[in-house]
Every structure is written in C-alpha cells, then in structure tokens.
Amino acid sequence: MNAQIKQGVAHELKASRLQRLVEFTERTLFRNRLAVLAVFLLAALALGFSALSLRPDASFTRMIPTGHPFIANYLKFEDVLRPQSNVLRVLVENPKGDILSREFLETLREATDRIFYIPGVDRGNLKSLWTPNAMWAEVTTEGLRAGRVIPDTYDGSPEALAQVRQNIQRADMIGSFVANDFRSAMIRVPLLEKDPETGNPLDYGAFTQALEREVREHFAAQGVNIRVVGFAQIIGDLLAAASDIALFFAITVGLISTMLYLYCRCWRSTAVTVLTCLLTVVCQLGLLSLLGYGLDPYSILVPFLIFAIGISHAVQNINLMMSEMGNGATPLQASRRTFNALFIPGTTALLADAVGFITLLVIDIGVIQQLAITASIGVFVAIFTKMFLLPVLMSYVGVSPRGLRQQHRRANSSWPIFRRLAAVVEPRNAIALVLGSLLLLGIGYQARQGLKIGDLDAGAPEFRPEARYNQDNAYLLEHYTTSTDVYVVLFNTPPEQCARFAAADLANQFEQRMLEVEGVESVQSLYGEIRFNILARNEGNPKWAELSRDQYVMNNARAGASSELVAPDCSVAPISLYLADHKAETLSRVVAAVESFSRQYDGGDYQILQAAGNAGIEAATNIIIEQSEKRMLILVFVIISLVVWWEFKSLKVTFALMAPLYLSTVLCEAVMAQMGLGVKIATLPVIALGVGIGVDYGIYLYSRVEGFLHQGLKFREAFFETLKTTGTSVAFTGITLALGVATWAFSALKFQADMGLLLVLLFIWNMIGALLLLPALAAILMSKELSH
C-alpha cells in the first residue's frame, strides 16, 4: 500500500513538472507571437525556395535489397550480368506486314542507332539484328561456318532479305529476337547504373523521356509500333504519372477543405488550418531537397500522409478553440488554453506517428527506407507547425461568428447518438463488444491465411492490366517464346576453369534438375553453346552433342562464346532460367530447388550462387519482405506502446489503446488476402503507417476522458463529455480522410489505388475502434480503479 502511495506521489510530481514545462512554453510562445510568426515566415520562404529544386528520383539499387546475399552476388559480378538484369526489351513492330522488308529493316537499323546514342545504354552489350554480336553458326560438310545475321553485303534486295531470313533461323533467334509470327523484332538494351557522362546515378525519368522522344514518338509518326518492357520503363511510367498524383493530392485537399468548413462553418479556421497543413508539406519537401533526397515513385505519396496527419491534429485544435470561445473566451485566451490542453497528447501522438514511420528502416530496401526518412521529416516539421504555429495563428484569427453559432447549436444539442454510444462502457455492453471483437479477430486470422508475399499478377503490378506497359508486356509474352521473367544463377569457378569437364558436368546436372522444377520453361547457358559447338565440329552428328573429357576440345568449343554467357577470365558462367511467371510460389520453388542442389553437390572449387535477373532480384526482395514484415509490426506495436505508456503510465490504458489497432491490422491483412493483394513494396508500409496514424485517435480520446475523470465525473459521463468534444473531431477526421483517399480508386496507378483502399479501411476501422472498442476495454480493465 505504501509503495502504491509513493508511486502515486512520484507520478503527481512528474506530472506537475511536465505541466510547469508546458505552461512555461505557453507563456514564452504567446508573449512572442510576432517573433514566432517571423521565424516561421522566414523558414517557410527558405524551405519553399529549396522545394522548387526537388525532382522525382529513382534508382535501380534503391529498389532492391542490397544487403541480401543474392544482391551482393549480383553486384559483385554486375559487369557480367548486366545483359540479364537491368535490361530493356524494345519491340519494333511492323503493323503492315512482317519484318523482312527493306523498309522495315531500315527502320529497325535506325531504331537501333537512336537507342545506341541515348546516355545510360550499355552500348557494348546492346543487341539487335543489326549489331555485330548478332551471329549465326551452322555445321556443313566443310566444318563450322558463322557470320553476322545481317551481313556487311546486305543491300535490301529480295535475295539479301532471303539470306537474312535464313540467318535468323540459323542463329535460333525466332522467339527471342524475332517474333514467332515475324511481325516484330526485339532490341535488347542493357543499362548502366551510372550515367557515363556525369558519373551520377542514371536518371530513369530523363532516360525514358529520351527513349519516348527519340524512339517511340518518332516511329509512331511513321506508323511503326514501339513497345518497351523492363524495369527502367516501369520507373519512367511511374515518374510520368507524378502529375496524376499531384492532381489527386489537389482533389484531396479541396475535398478535405470543404468537409472541414462544413464541420466548423468558419472560413477563418478552415483557411488557417489548410494553409498550415500545406506549409508543413512545403517545408518537408524543402528539407528533403536540402538533405539531397528526391521523391521516388513510392515516397511521392508521403506528402498526402503528412497533410492527413496535419488535418487530424488541427481538427482537435479547432474543436477545442470553438468550445473555449463558445464559453466566452477571447481568441488569445482560447488559443492559450487549447495549447495547454493539447500540447502533451498532441506531441505524444506525433511521436507515435514518427515511430510508425521510423520502424520501416528495418526493411533493407532503399525505397522503403527513403519513405521512412521522408515521412519522419514530415512529422518532425508537423510538430512545429501544429504545436506552435497553428495556435499562434488561431490566436489572431479566432473563430468567426458563424462558427460560434455552429458551436452554440452543438452545445445545446441533446446528442442522442453519443448518449447511446456512451453506453458501451457499461459492463454488459462492454463485454459483448469485446467478445464480438474477438470473434472478428478470429475471422480475420482465418481470412489472412491466404496472404501472399510478392506480386500475384502478370506484368507490372504497379499498373492496371489495361495500362500501356502491361499491354506491351502481354504482347511480348504472346508473340515471343522467351519469357520476360529470368532467374539467373551464377556458376562460379576458379579462373580459367569454367570449361573444365568437372565444372561443365556439374553445371549440366544443375540445368537438368532445374528443368524439372515447375515453372522453369527453359535454360540458357555457356554449356548449351559448348555442346552445340562440339556437335558442329563433328559433322553435326547428334551423338557428339555432349561435353568432352578432352580439355582441348572443351577449350576450343568455348572459344568465341558470347560475352553474356561467360566472364572474360572464365570464372563465372551465368545460367539463365526462363520462368513461366514471377509469382511468389514460382520464385520460392526455384530458390528452394537451387539451394537443395547446392547442398547436395557441394563442388568445393565450384559454387552455385544466387541470383540475378529480374526474377532473382524479385525473389530476394520477397525474402527480405517476408523476414521483415513480422519484425516491423512487432517493433511498431512495442515502441508505440512504450510511447503510450509514457503518456498515461498505465499498462491497462496502453492495452486498451493498442488492441483496436491490432484488430485493424489483422482485418486489413485479411482484406488483402481476399482481394489478391500481396505484401510487397507498395503495400507493406501502409500497415505501419496505419498503426502510427491510428493511435492518434486513442491518445486524444483517452487524454480527454482522463481530464473529465479528474474533475470527478463517472466513466460513462466522462466518456459522453469526451464524445461531445474530441469524439466529434475523431469521427470527422476518420470519415474525411477516408473520403480523401477514396478518390485514389480512380488513379491509373494500381499501386496508388491499392494503397488508397487499405488506408480507407485503416482510417475507418481505427476510428471505430477508438470510439467503441477502446472505451469498452478500458471499462473492463479498469473497473476497480473507476469504482473508487
């Protein structure tokens, strides 16, 4: 008993010290209002000017988990692997006939030349029918013959065209570089990670714009269809859609502003609140620019989240201002009282938001980490604009007479809905609500069992199926045999030993094992070329199409192998597995099969290393996301719980605030599983963001309830009074923000529509949880404390 008394006294002393600090801050702030406005004005002008230089930004290495062993292997052998990894496939289609016409081949040559001179292209590995590395080979009675697919003697005559057709067949290019129906041809365009002219990371936005201007638009005017598939084009299209994202941001701002005015009926409060929230976004962008960051396609949505956070906190400020001025306070008095009442819970809620963002740093993927940094900077700015600038501005503008009349009508309302809602704290109702929530949690657990990691759709899941990129990808899959999903395994040997029989035999066994894996359609490697060359040098007799134990035969067969199939020192031979798709199940099967073979056939000097190619990189990304998802969620809940405990000094209150957020998270994952949305770069951050933003509702609500309890009210009465003030703003904020992001459903970007859907669900469920489940849990858990 004495220990409890001492603990209570210590708590009161600490609360008293904290309150004195708040009062000191309040006096300093409002005694120097003009100085505060001048400081914020100068900071806004400087950061606004800095924000003008901010540009969309994307990097291949930031899109991949560079710390994963797969990616470490890829980066180590990047020069060898570039033709199989960061590569564009440009399809030049003849809508008037096949490719074997003088006019079309000239068009293909011009397209190849135009692409060759775009900065960022790995020109040495560029390949089309016109490039010197497009070679054919055949076996004749005189031995092996070889040459370029389009020879130097080509003159466009019917005979020359017939020769090109034969060379294409000899080079086995049908289905890879020439469409199965001969109506299009492919240009393979490997990209450099750094611009050779500037030394800076390749600007994918500028590169794809140059490709659009120099190739796609140029040849479209001539009636030739150009289709482009690859990572760079995905990023380019996402960056090009930045204007659409800005449009949706403007629509959201307009909608929220209208809703805010309808709520408070005061243009002054609405204008000051919206302008303060927009200023927060501008300052955030300015700080990003000063720190050397850009906005990548995923972080470009963060400004909306910061605006939403700002509105969530500003509504609380307006609500309390209207209440104080409705009781006769002047604008200055109302602002000072509002500051005193909201500073601690508001700062705590913003810190909880920041924690939700910062925990994303545990995910070793650059774009997610940059999103975490971008959002954390925004919350840092919001602490100053919402906690200091907004109260000072409101002390000047106050609330209009019409707004006060709106507040007077509310104060005199009987609040029938809230009176019924306050009954949730009665023991019988609270127990029934908690049991219903547990049932809902069980249903959510069952429904989320089918939640997958990674992409579940063909093409680029960032876009809708009808998007240009996905149409181009569908065309490639329909008209070419070669898959766009390539999983590259690195067969590593000591220098000059990749063509030894022991190494080649092990690689051959590996290839045969991989062809038995479901989802692997074909294999391409140095060893297939070696077998062909041995066959060719032995009169084309099929019985010689095998590896030889004679090292001279093997060395001779390796001579002249394509640079994309072997490193110059014969220490690395990439083995490309062409997959049916890039779904998580397919990639998991391939990863498991490669690991199983590696364990079974540990070759000592010979290593089978994973992985490169777009499918290999995606497999590594899926592994990182799967490993990080639970760790991130645990960190989010643990750290935010500590923040809440620090605010209320009660484990029971902390549990009551956090439980609704956990229920919302489980239900969100259940919806994702049922709708076929995988956990990936675009969707994983939403869950952490939802928890961070959702805890605001509970902090504001319970801090207000606690204030009424200290005034001697019973819990039901305290909750009813809270609903009349903070509860209305929580309900308004949840519904308004949900309506704001609901407009994203009309976005051309599927990942933006997906994020919008998940945010709508989280905003609504977190609001309902705060208004219903939180007080019910608090009533049950704190029944003894509340009875005294």
Side-chain angles (χ1 to χ4, degrees):
M1 190 68 178
N2 290 334
Q4 290 180 349
I5 293 174
K6 290 179 180 179
Q7 186 177 3
V9 171
H11 177 61
E12 290 294 332
L13 288 173
K14 187 172 183 180
S16 177
R17 286 196 298 268
L18 194 59
Q19 189 58 40
R20 286 199 298 270
L21 176 62
V22 173
E23 290 171 357
F24 172 78
T25 306
E26 175 254 313
R27 288 194 300 272
T28 305
L29 181 68
F30 286 94
R31 286 176 181 173
N32 301 279
R33 289 185 294 167
L34 290 177
V36 170
L37 292 179
V39 169
F40 273 101
L41 177 61
L42 291 174
L45 290 174
L47 293 175
F49 180 77
S50 174
L52 294 175
S53 62
L54 190 69
R55 293 290 180 268
D57 180 34
S59 167
F60 179 66
T61 53
R62 281 209 307 273
M63 295 289 291
I64 61 180
T66 52
H68 193 274
F70 289 10
I71 307 304
N73 292 332
Y74 159 70
L75 295 174
K76 181 178 179 181
F77 302 106
E78 185 178 7
D79 290 339
V80 180
L81 292 168
R82 189 173 292 116
Q84 289 97 339
S85 295
N86 192 6
V87 60
L88 283 177
R89 294 175 173 85
V90 180
L91 310 181
V92 186
E93 180 191 3
N94 185 3
K96 301 176 182 178
D98 65 25
I99 66 170
L100 294 172
S101 68
R102 180 171 188 162
E103 295 77 12
F104 179 82
L105 286 180
E106 181 59 27
T107 298
L108 181 64
R109 183 198 62 76
E110 184 184 353
T112 303
D113 290 345
R114 283 176 170 267
I115 292 171
F116 183 87
Y117 288 106
I118 296 177
V121 172
D122 181 6
R123 294 165 183 168
N125 287 307
L126 181 74
K127 187 172 182 179
S128 82
L129 297 181
W130 279 98
T131 54
N133 54 359
M135 303 287 293
W136 61 268
E138 70 173 357
V139 180
T140 69
T141 55
E142 299 174 355
L144 182 67
R145 296 176 59 225
R148 290 179 54 180
V149 170
I150 300 182
D152 295 334
T153 57
Y154 170 80
D155 57 9
S157 64
E159 293 77 12
L161 292 172
Q163 184 65 52
V164 170
R165 176 186 288 274
Q166 184 180 23
N167 291 348
I168 289 171
Q169 294 169 336
R170 289 167 167 169
D172 194 24
M173 284 185 155
I174 300 174
S176 56
F177 282 85
V178 175
N180 294 322
D181 58 3
F182 270 80
R183 296 184 66 89
S184 65
M186 180 190 294
I187 305 172
R188 190 188 65 198
V189 189
L191 301 180
L192 300 169
E193 182 56 24
K194 292 189 176 180
D195 189 323
E197 296 181 0
T198 64
N200 297 323
L202 182 61
D203 184 338
Y204 287 98
F207 176 85
T208 52
Q209 288 173 12
L211 187 65
E212 187 83 14
R213 182 178 60 254
E214 296 293 329
V215 181
R216 204 190 286 261
E217 292 179 359
H218 175 81
F219 290 106
Q222 302 177 17
V224 176
N225 294 333
I226 302 293
R227 304 176 186 273
V228 185
V229 177
F231 169 81
Q233 189 61 43
I234 293 175
I235 297 300
D237 286 352
L238 287 174
L239 293 175
S243 59
D244 292 340
I245 294 176
L247 174 63
F248 278 102
F249 180 77
I251 292 172
T252 301
V253 171
L255 179 61
I256 290 177
S257 300
T258 303
M259 295 287 291
L260 187 58
Y261 173 74
L262 293 175
Y263 173 74
C264 67
R265 301 303 173 101
C266 175
W267 279 113
R268 300 179 196 172
S269 302
T270 301
V272 167
T273 296
V274 172
L275 288 175
T276 305
C277 293
L278 290 175
L279 180 65
T280 304
V281 173
V282 170
C283 291
Q284 174 207 18
L285 298 179
L287 284 173
L288 283 177
S289 181
L290 287 177
L291 294 172
Y293 289 102
L295 280 180
D296 62 50
Y298 297 96
S299 296
I300 209 165
L301 296 175
V302 170
F304 167 79
L305 296 174
I306 298 305
F307 182 81
I309 290 172
I311 289 293
S312 175
H313 292 271
V315 169
Q316 302 292 338
N317 190 286
I318 290 177
N319 203 52
L320 204 50
M321 278 285 298
M322 291 174 67
S323 178
E324 292 293 339
M325 289 188 67
N327 291 329
T330 65
L332 179 57
Q333 290 171 336
S335 292
R336 297 182 78 149
R337 293 172 188 172
T338 299
F339 179 88
N340 272 316
L342 295 182
F343 183 77
I344 293 176
T347 304
T348 303
L350 285 169
L351 287 174
D353 295 336
V355 167
F357 296 132
I358 290 172
T359 51
L360 293 172
L361 290 173
V362 304
I363 303 171
D364 185 24
I365 298 175
V367 289
I368 295 182
Q369 292 179 334
Q370 181 163 328
L371 185 150
I373 294 169
T374 302
S376 300
I377 290 172
V379 173
F380 170 77
V381 174
I383 290 176
F384 288 91
T385 56
K386 297 299 171 296
M387 295 296 104
F388 300 104
L389 177 61
L390 183 60
V392 171
L393 288 174
M394 290 298 293
S395 72
Y396 283 106
V397 301
V399 179
S400 67
R402 186 176 183 183
L404 291 177
R405 288 195 295 272
Q406 172 78 353
Q407 174 61 24
H408 182 71
R409 284 193 294 271
R410 283 185 191 159
N412 294 326
S413 170
S414 60
W415 302 97
I417 296 176
F418 282 170
R419 284 191 184 278
R420 294 190 185 93
L421 191 60
V424 299
V425 302
E426 297 296 333
R428 183 176 61 182
N429 298 331
I431 291 172
L433 185 59
V434 170
L435 290 176
S437 299
L438 289 173
L439 178 62
L440 198 58
L441 183 64
I443 295 172
Y445 270 126
Q446 182 62 34
R448 72 187 289 275
Q449 295 303 310
L451 188 64
K452 304 293 184 183
I453 302 295
D455 296 331
L456 306 180
D457 302 312
E462 292 84 358
F463 307 118
R464 298 187 184 275
E466 65 274 12
R468 182 180 71 173
Y469 182 90
N470 283 332
Q471 291 298 311
D472 289 351
N473 187 77
Y475 177 91
L476 190 153
L477 294 175
E478 182 181 352
H479 292 84
Y480 289 76
T481 305
T482 302
S483 168
T484 57
D485 298 310
V486 186
Y487 190 97
V488 180
V489 176
L490 302 160
F491 187 60
N492 186 216
T493 71
E496 302 303 333
Q497 291 195 31
C498 70
R500 291 186 175 274
F501 175 79
D505 183 55
L506 181 62
N508 184 59
Q509 292 181 58
F510 172 75
E511 291 178 18
Q512 297 305 313
R513 177 75 64 86
M514 291 303 104
L515 286 171
E516 297 172 0
V517 177
E518 181 183 354
V520 178
E521 296 186 331
S522 61
V523 178
Q524 182 185 37
S525 72
L526 167 70
Y527 303 101
E529 188 162 321
I530 285 177
R531 287 194 297 272
F532 172 80
N533 288 340
I534 292 174
L535 165 74
R537 287 169 173 79
N538 287 275
E539 300 178 350
N541 192 326
K543 72 179 183 179
W544 292 104
E546 288 295 340
L547 303 172
S548 174
R549 294 181 181 275
D550 188 323
Q551 191 58 49
Y552 292 102
V553 172
M554 293 290 285
N555 290 342
N556 191 37
R558 180 177 71 87
S562 173
S563 60
E564 66 193 67
L565 297 179
V566 62
D569 64 351
C570 195
S571 62
V572 180
I575 300 175
S576 300
L577 312 177
Y578 291 90
L579 310 182
D581 54 59
H582 55 256
K583 293 180 180 179
E585 296 92 336
T586 303
L587 298 178
S588 296
R589 280 195 300 270
V590 173
V591 170
V594 175
E595 289 178 348
S596 174
F597 185 89
S598 298
R599 288 193 300 268
Q600 184 177 356
Y601 296 95
D602 184 1
D605 288 340
Y606 308 131
Q607 294 179 300
I608 295 175
L609 306 175
Q610 303 187 74
N614 65 314
I617 290 170
E618 187 161 351
T621 303
N622 289 351
I623 292 170
I624 287 293
I625 289 176
E626 187 173 17
Q627 291 173 346
S628 304
E629 181 196 14
K630 291 181 180 178
R631 184 169 66 225
M632 179 204 72
L633 284 176
I634 291 171
L635 279 174
V636 166
F637 278 95
V638 168
I639 299 177
I640 292 182
S641 295
L642 290 174
V643 172
V644 173
W645 177 83
W646 177 84
E647 164 68 7
F648 296 106
K649 301 299 185 296
S650 169
L651 291 176
K652 294 178 180 179
V653 174
T654 301
F655 180 81
L657 263 71
M658 298 305 296
L661 302 180
Y662 181 71
L663 176 60
S664 295
T665 301
V666 172
L667 293 177
C668 183
E669 292 180 340
V671 170
M672 290 173 61
Q674 297 305 307
M675 293 188 62
L677 297 178
V679 180
K680 52 191 177 183
I681 290 177
T683 56
L684 179 60
V686 174
I687 299 172
L689 303 182
V691 175
I693 296 174
V695 76
D696 296 359
Y697 302 150
I699 290 175
Y700 277 118
L701 271 171
Y702 196 81
S703 63
R704 195 72 171 149
V705 167
E706 201 171 48
F708 285 119
L709 289 174
H710 288 159
Q711 294 176 21
L713 297 181
K714 296 293 185 181
F715 191 53
R716 180 169 179 171
E717 295 171 352
F719 183 52
F720 173 64
E721 292 298 323
T722 299
L723 289 175
K724 289 165 58 178
T725 53
T726 305
T728 55
S729 56
V730 165
F732 166 80
T733 302
I735 294 171
T736 302
L737 295 182
L739 288 175
V741 294
T743 60
W744 293 7
F746 301 101
S747 173
L749 297 176
K750 187 175 183 296
F751 90 92
Q752 185 184 6
D754 292 343
M755 290 180 77
L757 169 66
L758 298 179
L759 285 172
V760 166
L761 296 176
L762 286 170
F763 284 146
I764 294 295
W765 286 339
N766 286 336
M767 176 200 71
I768 294 173
L771 293 175
L772 294 177
L773 185 55
L774 187 161
L777 284 169
I780 294 172
L781 294 173
M782 303 184 67
S783 57
K784 291 183 179 180
E785 291 89 337
L786 296 173
S787 63
H788 296 301

